[in-house]
Amino acid sequence: MLSVDQEQELEQKRISEQEAQSSTPQSITPESKRRRRSSAASNMGKELSADQKAIVKMYVTRDAGDGNIKCCYCAKEITSRNVDRWASHLRGCVKTPDDIKAQIQPFRGAASPTNSNTTARAAPQTVKTDVATNVAAAAPSVPATIPVVAPVPTPNPMGTGYNEVFKVHVSKDYMKFNAAHFIAYKGFREKLHGHNYRLAVTITGQVGPDGYVVDFGEIKKISRVICKDLNESFLVPMNSDALKISFDGTNVHILTEDMAKFSFPKADCSLLPIVHSSAEELAIYISNQLIDAFTLVALLDRGVRKIEVSISEANQQFASYERTILA
């Protein structure tokens, strides 16, 4: 039986032999060399991206007879069938353009060994991609056929060919007149009285080449003249069927059914071709005056369709007359 000291001595000897054996270099055989070259080639292949390999293949040719790979620039045969070796030849060829060499430069990954028994690996490469490429990749696919929607026709601003209506309306403070009158018809007569009349004109039609239906200024000018002629006068309905109207030089005499007699200076009267001096018939009269002033031909040429005249006797109390313009 061994003593404790002898056992320790044997254990120390055994450890020394193991350390000596592990430090002795292993013999290098042809098989190990082949494996190392294969491993190195495999590691080199990882240095080029798929796009770079595609570029390399564009600048080498395969001989139709023996199938050997040759450089497109110097026509030198490349014995290896590994793409990375082809790339290495192209980078070293003096005839390869610099821009091609730059495109096939390998990525140099940093080695990060894990322990003494593992082979160092190249760090994975992070390839930056264009933002637009990422957006395009993330975007949902669009169907190849997009349904065509018929465009909605845009209305012609001139109104031609469309059922459009344009209106211009004028009602100014000076479009007014003060006048006296009384309504008389068979069996009835009002007392003599007066109103502060107000006039409003609306014209409907198409927009002309100048951008107007009718110029506002023309409406105001004609309306001002009409109001001036009627202002501060007695309105005489010359076509009345209930009044007897006569003249004796400078005066106008009116006899009613109830035998009432009125006499007015002719200069203070507006002799109107109407039956009753009502707001409705005043609107008809003024409408005719407007058409005469514009002339029917001019209104038709401008595409005017209607003229509406409103006569107000008091606030929120008016009568309107609308006339269609016909050729």
Side-chain angles (χ1 to χ4, degrees):
M1 185 174 181
L2 296 177
S3 64
V4 175
D5 293 337
Q6 289 175 334
E7 289 180 354
Q8 290 180 351
E9 183 178 352
L10 289 174
E11 180 66 20
Q12 184 65 34
K13 184 178 180 180
R14 184 176 60 82
I15 293 173
S16 298
E17 290 176 353
Q18 289 179 352
E19 290 178 352
Q21 184 178 1
S22 62
S23 61
T24 303
Q26 298 178 353
S27 60
I28 301 175
T29 63
E31 178 65 19
S32 63
K33 288 183 179 180
R34 186 187 65 77
R35 290 180 179 178
R36 287 186 180 181
R37 285 197 299 268
S38 177
S39 176
S42 177
N43 289 336
M44 288 178 64
K46 294 180 181 179
E47 294 179 351
L48 291 179
S49 67
D51 291 339
Q52 288 178 312
K53 289 182 179 181
I55 295 173
V56 171
K57 292 177 181 180
M58 292 172 57
Y59 298 104
V60 296
T61 60
R62 186 182 298 274
D63 189 273
D66 54 16
N68 293 331
I69 303 299
K70 294 183 179 181
C71 174
C72 289
Y73 294 104
C74 66
K76 182 179 178 180
E77 182 179 335
I78 307 174
T79 56
S80 175
R81 297 186 180 276
N82 186 276
V83 178
D84 296 277
R85 293 298 178 89
W86 303 348
S88 177
H89 172 84
L90 289 171
R91 290 194 297 269
C93 180
V94 295
K95 294 184 179 181
T96 304
D98 292 338
D99 59 334
I100 302 300
K101 292 180 180 180
Q103 293 180 41
I104 59 175
Q105 288 296 327
F107 292 104
R108 298 299 182 185
S112 55
T114 56
N115 54 56
S116 59
N117 296 326
T118 59
T119 304
R121 295 183 180 180
Q125 297 296 322
T126 302
V127 181
K128 295 183 179 180
T129 58
D130 188 78
V131 176
T133 305
N134 290 337
V135 173
S141 60
V142 179
T145 303
I146 300 176
V148 178
V149 180
V152 178
T154 303
N156 188 331
M158 306 307 291
T160 304
Y162 296 88
N163 187 24
E164 291 183 334
V165 176
F166 292 89
K167 293 183 178 182
V168 292
H169 179 82
V170 179
S171 178
K172 306 295 289 184
D173 289 340
Y174 53 76
M175 291 171 60
K176 61 183 180 180
F177 57 94
N178 305 322
H181 82 128
F182 59 83
I183 299 294
Y185 53 85
K186 294 292 184 178
F188 175 81
R189 177 183 68 85
E190 286 184 323
K191 290 185 177 181
L192 181 64
H193 64 282
H195 297 286
N196 296 321
Y197 294 96
R198 299 188 70 87
L199 169 64
V201 178
T202 302
I203 297 181
T204 303
Q206 297 178 351
V207 175
D210 53 4
Y212 299 148
V213 175
V214 175
D215 189 353
F216 286 127
E218 291 297 316
I219 299 174
K220 291 186 287 186
K221 181 174 67 175
I222 296 171
S223 298
R224 189 192 291 266
V225 172
I226 294 172
C227 290
K228 183 179 179 181
D229 290 342
L230 296 175
N231 190 45
E232 296 180 347
S233 67
F234 176 74
L235 305 179
V236 181
M238 295 299 295
N239 297 332
S240 174
D241 57 355
L243 301 176
K244 292 183 178 180
I245 302 171
S246 60
F247 302 90
D248 65 351
T250 59
N251 293 321
V252 178
H253 304 284
I254 300 175
L255 179 63
T256 66
E257 285 186 328
D258 60 357
M259 303 307 293
K261 295 181 180 179
F262 297 89
S263 181
F264 301 97
K266 188 177 180 179
D268 293 345
C269 295
S270 293
L271 308 178
L272 306 178
I274 56 179
V275 179
H276 310 93
S277 57
S278 62
E280 291 84 348
E281 293 194 32
L282 283 174
I284 296 173
Y285 167 75
I286 294 175
S287 176
N288 291 333
Q289 293 293 104
L290 285 167
I291 292 174
D292 290 344
F294 278 114
T295 74
L296 183 60
V297 173
L299 292 175
L300 290 172
D301 287 344
R302 292 201 63 87
V304 173
R305 302 174 186 175
K306 295 178 182 179
I307 290 183
E308 181 179 346
V309 174
S310 296
I311 296 294
S312 170
E313 293 182 340
N315 187 32
Q316 297 184 351
Q317 178 180 319
F318 62 91
S320 295
Y321 170 70
E322 182 179 272
R323 178 173 175 179
T324 301
I325 306 298
L326 300 175

